[in-house]
Amino acid sequence: MTVEIKFCGLTRPVDAGMAVSLGASYVGAIFAGGPRRLTPERAAEVFAPVANAARRVGVFGAERPEEVAAAARTASLDIVQLHGDPTAEYAASIRTECDLPIWAVVRVSSGAAAARIAELDEVADVIVLDAFVPGQLGGTGTSFDWRDAARWARPARARLMVAGGLGAHNVAEA
């Protein structure tokens, strides 16, 4: 198993540089809303110093596919991450618009998330499991029961990633 790290919600170029210096494979910018939301132009500035050192990920909510594609071009994204409980149809429409790898987030609150994984498996390159926190799309620092998820989270095609509440104290366990 390979462990890859993504630092997300970056707002300054110096933070992107620090993330790469610490071994991050991915750097992320938020377009979905919240206090760390960036414009595509600002994300391009944040990513500029690490353009060849890490893959650039844009985190989106339920924006229209054309808006996602325009932001992806402006920010020179390598990957589109979809929060907001994306459907397979929505993920497919994003791929059609911008032809980038799709990371679809499934917010885990119970084993019922297995059906969502099965639905997204055909269209997502990666399925990201994150904790379900009412009223929040992500970025809460909350973890979920990884051992329980290991029993039912079995995509057939897509890679599986975990997010939320990860740190030096628990990443090995995850």
Side-chain angles (χ1 to χ4, degrees):
M1 175 183 350
T2 301
V3 175
E4 296 178 309
I5 298 170
K6 179 182 101 176
F7 282 76
C8 201
L10 302 175
T11 59
R12 303 178 309 166
V14 67
D15 296 331
M18 180 61 73
V20 168
S21 76
L22 293 171
S25 301
Y26 306 94
V27 290
I30 307 295
F31 300 102
R36 293 177 287 162
R37 182 179 186 174
L38 299 182
T39 65
E41 295 79 12
R42 179 62 183 157
E45 293 171 6
V46 169
F47 292 152
V50 298
N52 298 316
R55 298 190 71 196
R56 298 163 301 243
V57 181
V59 178
F60 295 89
E63 291 81 8
R64 292 182 306 123
E66 307 81 39
E67 292 172 348
V68 172
R73 283 189 301 276
T74 300
S76 298
L77 297 181
D78 298 305
I79 298 164
V80 171
Q81 182 172 323
L82 303 175
H83 275 266
D85 303 317
T87 64
E89 179 181 77
Y90 178 70
S93 69
I94 297 297
R95 184 183 302 285
T96 298
E97 282 295 321
C98 61
D99 194 31
L100 290 173
I102 303 294
W103 291 6
V105 176
V106 172
R107 297 184 299 158
V108 176
S109 60
S110 70
R116 302 260 314 121
I117 291 171
E119 173 194 355
L120 292 164
D121 191 31
E122 291 300 313
V123 295
D125 299 286
V126 171
I127 296 173
V128 180
L129 300 180
D130 196 0
F132 176 81
V133 176
Q136 302 289 320
L137 290 181
T140 64
T142 303
S143 60
F144 59 92
D145 185 345
W146 302 307
R147 286 188 191 101
D148 183 50
R151 288 190 282 278
W152 52 259
R154 302 270 188 237
R157 189 192 66 77
R159 289 176 52 209
L160 192 63
M161 290 185 179
V162 295
L166 296 168
H169 64 288
N170 65 2
V171 76
E173 178 187 354

